[in-house]
Amino acid sequence: MLTSHSFPPLVIRGRSLLPIVQGGMGVGISAHRLAGSVAREGALGTIASIDLRHHHHDLIELCRQSPDRATLERANLTALAREIHAAKVLSDGHGMIAVNVMKAVNAQADYVRVACESGADAIVMGAGLPLDLPDMTQGHDIALIPILSDSRGVALVLKKWMKKGRLPDAVVIEHPAHAGGHLGVTNLADLHDPRFDFLRVLEELDAVFTSLGVSRKDVPLIVAGGINSHEAVRELLTAGASGVQLGTPFAVTEEGDAHPNFKRVLAEATPEDIVEFVSVTGLPARAVKTPWLMRYLRHETKIREKIGALKHVCPTALECLSVCGWRDGVEKFGHFCIDTRLAAALRGDVANGLFFRGREALPFGTAIRSVHDLIELLLTGATRPAVAGRWAFSLG
């Protein structure tokens, strides 16, 4: 654990943490090994809830034998419970283990229930306004952390939750112009809207908190997107943030749960290799220009004109998203199976996978370093010599 740094702790639900949060990354990119390792350092590690069965050979075999929706959903819930338990064991009582649940998935209520029943310390919810999250967790002692992008969204959630007698235990403010994966805007043209600037949001929220009679100490603000250096961490924490969240830099650590090829693709990507496009969710997304994505983008207009308004059978039977451009025939959305493409990336299939990534350069460049090294660099600026071979890869 890192014990020597100059920043105040991030306090969530009475627990003092390092002011570093590892963002949730599905499908299977942030599972028990990454989240547990981050928590072991005294920070907040996050398991992405969706489709974790890919890390469990017995569940994959079960789904192969019975590829129906009920079996797939049951397998994913079993996998989530296993991953939470394994992360808690690995964390050795340090830090916190959160579960990220996307508001946009059909099984959101089941993921939340399993997270609560399996001993997760927090639930983080984005990809939509989590207005009913307090109702879904009634009776459970668990931290609730919404992901939002501007002060207007935060104000709305605060007001709705306060009517239910609950405050968020923290709020993640994600900047869509810098984050990886699905981004918190409805149109690509809105990515660089000034309303998302961290300093502006922090300033506007001071007024929001005052008007609602809420203390900033009661609702820590965690900023996310494009944070890749000790200097950036210092600037944002000095400006009033209580913590910072990172995704891509953690995804490429030695302890990251994805295949080494996945880490190599992300670590070696240049700014010219990263592109924004519309996902099957209808939300803008950011990823590396790998062979499949380049083929898709070259033919995107033709695909939309030819089949954009046609409905299709879900190719995996999982029916993972509540709204899917491919399955539902939503013409302005993307048209491919996102679960299949993300699972291919997890396995390291460079030719066929969808590799989500943030825009900024990584703290260690193309080097793959440990979770401890990353946290130490972010909080102290120190870079120790690399120690090779601490983790061997396995999808089981």
Side-chain angles (χ1 to χ4, degrees):
M1 287 182 62
L2 183 67
T3 56
S4 178
H5 64 93
S6 60
F7 300 114
L10 168 63
V11 181
I12 296 179
R13 211 164 179 79
R15 298 174 69 168
S16 292
L17 310 167
L18 298 178
I20 301 291
V21 175
Q22 167 249 315
M25 296 165 284
V27 165
I29 302 303
S30 61
H32 83 268
R33 190 170 63 177
L34 178 56
S37 298
V38 172
R40 192 182 184 95
E41 293 293 329
L44 192 152
T46 308
I47 297 169
S49 59
I50 191 165
D51 216 4
L52 286 163
R53 63 199 164 100
H54 296 287
H55 284 297
H56 301 266
H57 293 309
D58 62 324
L59 298 178
I60 289 295
E61 179 60 22
L62 176 67
C63 294
R64 189 188 67 80
Q65 295 177 8
S66 302
D68 58 272
R69 182 177 179 181
T71 301
L72 270 63
E73 288 184 341
R74 188 166 62 250
N76 279 325
L77 295 176
T78 299
L80 175 57
R82 289 181 185 177
E83 294 291 327
I84 294 169
H85 175 73
K88 298 281 281 188
V89 170
L90 183 56
S91 70
D92 197 26
H94 301 293
M96 292 179 75
I97 298 294
V99 172
N100 177 282
V101 179
M102 291 176 60
K103 182 70 177 168
V105 302
N106 275 321
Q108 56 168 297
D110 290 326
Y111 288 141
V112 167
R113 174 180 55 78
V114 170
C116 291
E117 293 173 352
S118 301
D121 301 305
I123 292 173
V124 182
M125 184 173 279
L129 287 172
L131 300 179
D132 56 350
L133 187 55
D135 303 316
M136 297 165 68
T137 55
Q138 196 72 37
H140 294 279
D141 181 17
I142 191 166
L144 303 181
I145 305 173
I147 302 177
L148 302 155
S149 289
D150 61 14
S151 60
R152 183 175 54 186
V154 177
L156 176 59
V157 169
L158 284 173
K159 292 173 184 175
K160 291 287 187 180
W161 284 28
M162 289 174 74
K163 290 179 180 178
K164 302 174 187 289
R166 179 71 192 255
L167 284 173
D169 295 283
V171 173
V172 174
I173 309 295
E174 184 179 84
H175 199 310
H178 304 288
H182 289 110
L183 310 173
V185 291
T186 54
N187 296 296
L188 285 169
D190 293 334
L191 287 177
H192 298 279
D193 192 307
R195 77 179 189 273
F196 300 125
D197 292 346
F198 288 143
L199 299 185
R200 173 171 168 175
V201 174
L202 291 171
E203 182 179 345
E204 289 175 350
L205 286 179
D206 280 336
V208 170
F209 278 51
T210 299
S211 69
L212 295 176
V214 175
S215 168
R216 277 283 301 274
K217 289 183 178 180
D218 295 330
V219 186
L221 299 178
I222 301 161
V223 294
I227 300 158
N228 62 355
S229 67
H230 172 65
E231 291 71 25
V233 172
R234 179 172 295 281
E235 177 186 0
L236 291 165
L237 295 183
T238 301
S242 297
V244 296
Q245 175 176 294
L246 298 88
T248 305
F250 278 112
V252 303
T253 56
E254 294 170 353
E255 298 92 333
D257 290 277
H259 192 279
N261 286 352
F262 178 94
K263 301 175 188 182
R264 179 176 60 79
V265 168
L266 267 61
E268 296 178 1
T270 66
E272 293 74 28
D273 295 328
I274 300 166
V275 65
E276 292 88 27
F277 62 100
V278 178
S279 167
V280 298
T281 62
L283 297 172
R286 181 173 289 118
V288 181
K289 289 192 260 185
T290 45
W292 169 80
L293 183 55
M294 289 305 296
R295 286 197 308 274
Y296 172 76
L297 293 177
R298 275 199 307 270
H299 300 292
E300 184 179 26
T301 300
K302 190 180 299 183
I303 291 170
R304 187 168 285 133
E305 290 173 350
K306 188 174 181 180
I307 64 171
L310 299 177
K311 295 184 179 182
H312 298 83
V313 175
C314 175
T316 67
L318 182 59
E319 304 279 350
C320 58
L321 296 171
S322 54
V323 179
C324 170
W326 170 258
R327 183 196 64 212
D328 300 334
V330 185
E331 192 167 355
K332 64 181 180 179
F333 287 14
H335 295 87
F336 55 89
C337 176
I338 193 167
D339 183 69
T340 301
R341 296 301 170 182
L342 291 176
L346 173 68
R347 297 192 304 269
D349 184 347
V350 178
N352 297 298
L354 173 58
F355 292 73
F356 282 152
R357 189 200 191 281
R359 175 182 289 281
E360 267 65 32
L362 296 175
F364 291 109
T366 60
I368 306 300
R369 299 290 294 267
S370 71
V371 162
H372 177 86
D373 291 348
L374 174 59
I375 291 176
E376 183 175 43
L377 173 63
L378 294 171
L379 292 182
T380 71
T383 305
R384 296 178 183 268
V387 178
R390 276 177 284 203
W391 290 88
F393 174 78
S394 171
L395 259 187

